[in-house]
Amino acid sequence: MNWFDSAMHRALLEAALVGAMGGVVGVFVVARRLSFFTMALTHATFPGIVIAALLGINLLLGGGVFGLLIVAGVVMLGRGRGQDFTAATGVALAGGFALGVVLISAQSGFTKDLTAYTVGDILTVDTFDLATTAAVTCVVLLTLAMLGKELLLRAFDPDGAAAAGLPVVLLDLALLALVEMAVVATVPALGAILTLALLVGPAATARLLSDRLALLFPLAAAIGVACGLAGIWISMVADVAAGASIALLVGAVFAVALLLRRGVRRPRRSTALSGAD
Amino acid sequence: MNLFEPFATPFMARALIELIILGALAGTVGVLVLLRKLAFVTDTMTHTVFPGVVIGYLAAGEGGIFWGALAAGMVTAALLTLLTRRRKVSEDAALAMLLTSLFALGVVLVSRQSGYTTDLTAFLFGRVLTVTGEQLAQTALISVVVIVMLALLRRPLLLRAFDPETAEAAGYRTGLLDVATNLLVAVVIVAAVRAVGTILVIALLIVPAAAARALSDRLALIVPLAVVIGVLGGWFGLATSYEASIHHGVRLAAGGTVVLVLTGLYLLAGLGGVARRRIVRRRAAAGPLDQATAGISTGVTG
Amino acid sequence: MADTAPPASPPDGVPPDAPPEAVPPDAAGPQAATSETVGPEDGAPRERDVTLRMEHASIAYGDVPVLEKIHGIVHPGEAVALIGPNGAGKSTLIKAILGLVPVVRGRIEVLGRTPALARRDVAYVPQADTLDPDFPVSVEQVVMMGRYRKIGWLRRPGRADRTAAAEALEQVGLTQRARHRFGTLSGGQRQRVLLARAIAAQPRLLLLDEPFNGVDAVSQHALLEAISVLKGRGASVVISTHDLAIAHLACEEVCLLNRYQFGFGPAEEVLTPECLRATYGGHALELRGDRVIVAQS
């Protein structure tokens, strides 16, 4: 019997892959404060997946392309005067999701598909899904390995990056595309809402635990993988939804790190303020 | 498309009344959400109410949903005020963690029930077509309370949104104002979530106000415009959904259609806003006298 | 921050860690240039005519002091300029006078009350560029905000409120822009609107945080005029600024700050090369022996 024949094995591998990818990409999501935007992306990808299913083309491709269209829309709308970025993001989130709901409600089997989409179903991933996730993970990690330096400069010193002559608009688009790829690969496993947990949680936890940039990526990836694997195990033992137990675990790890940091940092806290005007 | 015919049946009429009340309520509170840039906080609250809904349902059946949601709403409103006031962690990441963790808690709880997908769908998309008279009365009562609160607090809330430092310097308790703001948003979410679901709530709280803002720079106009857009979205959305399913044999989810109509109105308002600014600019260019006086009062001469 | 603020060493003669009770009132801080710092002297206004009284006040965030031993008095109709490099604690002092930052030692009294209790008679003018220019409020709405505390929660703005707002706007010369959106005005005009808002509150103490930053000449003139009218009506004014020339123009008194108080008194006595060099540390540059140019980073 092939190792991949077990649904449990496939789920574990999928969880490890999306955990690692989510952790690494998440470092940028957290640094650039893109959480809400990522949430909108996960929701706006939905109609793309439905349309792709209707047209019979690759679901990930359809979702990805549609998500990028929404990104462009948000960036344009958010530039209007009086329209702050968050409001435009909120409109894209609600509007995109509703479009998916309306499209899918016109089909039959409404609730089943929708639930799989909103909270995910990692136990049903097949070998093809796994291969796709693995490929996406490789592409994302390779791109980050090549562009990581520039993206980090852009994240921590936007003006400095522009002054250094980096193509900041292209870099921003590249980052959004990477986040979108991670979203599209993670949504089938964790669902539209809980994908956000893996794309923010491990990286936010890593930042609480370490101030050293070099450590952030491996730390975030390790936390993502560990939460993914442990979450699947818990869901098996306790018979609860797998995606939700992963997200809950990520939240718990973050909370523990937050408490630890509070404890450690308190004595040093005031020094940071001593220069305050 | 007939805008009145669908609402002859009692269940459609109740759905329409519910959406009109909620559209007006959420449109008003939505302006506060817009001014304070609380879109993500609002989205977080719509999801953190979920475990309350589940626990309430498990404890006391249908009747427990409202109270469970209310309790969860109050708790998260307080938690969010704390989170957003201390800027230790990036606020954005903290919100994301609160959102996913509490929502996941709800999913874990509900996934231990059999046939949970229906419950989840009801929470996400609501059951606007099964609204009862009692629910209508609840929504109306909550609306009155919220509107009275807003009317009382409007000046401090405006000053807090525009210039938090000065609000504090003037002696306003901005911490309490922030709690009040979050509570108001939470109450609207709780009132709306059973009927219209989380996605429609977030749409009602964000889209009408954003559209109204595109159309006007004056707060005195933005609030009524947001109310009108919220109400129109509910009305047209329901009518479209009904029309499509009765006359064209296409089932369109009512809540989703309302959101799509709202999004359409938002895009129209965006175009309207661009046109409005063009006209203003052209008028300014046409009146050299105006410009001269503006130049004098600005006092910027090279 | 760290590179602009010189090492926090107090001026000669005052040990930095001397407990405040060990410092006699008139020995706190460098007293070389301080004339009328303490208590009623001969000819000084009587006790009840003091708007702002600071007595060896130390202000801290948490355990770390930001300002220590601030000492001085401001009378009605007087203006004092807070001068010091970035990070010197000017804004912190303003916040302490508003009662938003605690005084850990010593005392700050506004109109004989604690700062928090005196807020109704105090108005604060923030820097205009800290406010969102897209916010949908009109100029007259912003000015009316100055009346909110007097209007209360339920009442609508009455005739007195509208008159006060209109007069305040008139004083800064922006009556014809009343219906414009706040964000459409230039930076200097916005600053004038914020001053009008403070004037509308009819304060007895006015606090301005860097009001002249990036302000055009016309607006600067309008601001100075309005401030002097306010002083004429008996209000006291505290202005934090970088601009020594403006400090000279608008204020009788100067308070030199950099973690400690390096001088408090009439401008011509305090704005000396010695005091400025002490305040600004390495950032002061002397020209021809009698002028000091302060390089801001």
Side-chain angles (χ1 to χ4, degrees), chain C residues 32-48:
Chain C
T34 309
S35 70
E36 190 197 28
T37 48
V38 202
E41 295 163 18
D42 284 355
R46 282 163 304 152
E47 184 73 9
R48 63 181 168 81

Side-chain angles (χ1 to χ4, degrees), chain B residues 155 163 165 170 213 297-298, chain C residues 134 149 152 155 189 197:
Chain B
R155 289 194 203 107
D163 186 353
E165 269 195 322
R213 178 67 187 88
S297 62
T298 338
Chain C
D134 275 338
R149 293 262 52 175
R155 229 160 41 78
Q189 289 171 333
R197 176 176 71 178

Side-chain angles (χ1 to χ4, degrees), chain A residues 35-36 81 83 105 114 238 241, chain B residues 40 92 101 111-112 125 210 217 253:
Chain A
S35 301
F36 190 37
R81 216 194 45 215
Q83 298 295 318
S105 71
L114 208 52
Chain B
F40 193 23
D92 174 79
S101 302
S111 73
R112 297 197 45 95
F125 307 105
D217 283 336

Side-chain angles (χ1 to χ4, degrees), chain B:
Chain B
M1 187 171 82
N2 193 320
L3 285 174
F4 298 99
E5 177 224 311
F7 306 108
T9 47
F11 79 92
M12 282 300 282
R14 280 197 298 272
L16 179 67
I17 296 172
E18 173 84 1
L19 278 181
I20 285 178
I21 301 176
L22 286 177
L25 174 67
T28 317
V29 176
V31 175
L32 182 60
V33 170
L34 179 84
L35 293 182
R36 292 287 313 279
K37 298 186 168 48
L38 291 177
F40 193 23
V41 171
T42 306
D43 186 39
T44 303
M45 270 200 254
T46 57
H47 290 89
T48 52
V49 162
F50 184 49
V53 170
V54 176
I55 293 172
Y57 181 73
L58 294 182
E62 280 284 333
I65 292 180
F66 178 79
W67 300 106
L70 193 64
M74 300 296 111
V75 170
T76 43
L79 270 178
L80 284 170
T81 317
L82 281 179
L83 267 183
T84 47
R85 277 183 87 76
R86 330 186 137 193
R87 296 195 159 250
K88 287 283 175 56
V89 202
S90 151
E91 173 185 320
D92 174 79
L95 284 175
M97 290 327 295
L98 197 64
L99 187 164
T100 53
S101 302
L102 285 181
F103 184 73
L105 181 67
V107 174
V108 163
L109 287 174
V110 86
S111 73
R112 297 197 45 95
Q113 312 299 116
S114 56
Y116 77 87
T117 53
T118 340
D119 295 342
L120 197 56
T121 315
F123 170 73
L124 289 170
F125 307 105
R127 294 193 176 118
V128 71
L129 300 184
T130 62
V131 169
T132 62
E134 192 192 342
Q135 271 175 288
L136 275 186
Q138 255 175 12
T139 314
L141 183 68
I142 288 175
S143 303
V144 171
V145 172
V146 169
I147 300 287
V148 167
M149 287 278 289
L150 269 181
L152 275 178
L153 292 173
R154 68 187 190 283
R155 289 194 203 107
L157 286 175
L158 178 64
L159 182 55
R160 160 72 184 91
F162 175 63
D163 186 353
E165 269 195 322
T166 304
E168 250 184 276
Y172 286 111
R173 307 279 289 273
T174 53
L176 287 182
L177 285 175
D178 290 358
V179 174
T181 303
N182 285 344
L183 282 179
L184 285 175
V185 176
V187 166
V188 174
I189 289 169
V190 170
V193 88
R194 183 164 33 154
V196 299
T198 54
I199 299 299
L200 185 45
V201 174
I202 184 93
L204 279 176
L205 276 168
I206 292 176
V207 183
R213 178 67 187 88
L215 288 176
S216 175
D217 283 336
R218 292 179 49 204
L219 206 51
L221 270 180
I222 291 174
V223 175
L225 272 175
V227 168
V228 168
I229 293 169
V231 168
L232 284 184
W235 183 12
F236 291 174
L238 268 188
T240 310
S241 156
Y242 181 88
E243 180 86 7
S245 43
I246 299 296
H247 297 295
H248 303 283
V250 186
R251 289 176 47 209
L252 294 185
T257 313
V258 172
V259 179
L260 281 189
V261 170
L262 282 172
T263 313
L265 290 176
Y266 171 80
L267 293 176
L268 279 181
L271 289 178
V274 172
R276 180 177 64 96
R277 279 195 289 281
R278 280 257 159 88
I279 292 168
V280 170
R281 220 172 293 149
R282 198 170 301 154
R283 219 181 271 160
L289 194 68
D290 285 0
Q291 264 201 326
T293 49
I296 289 165
S297 62
T298 338
V300 184
T301 45

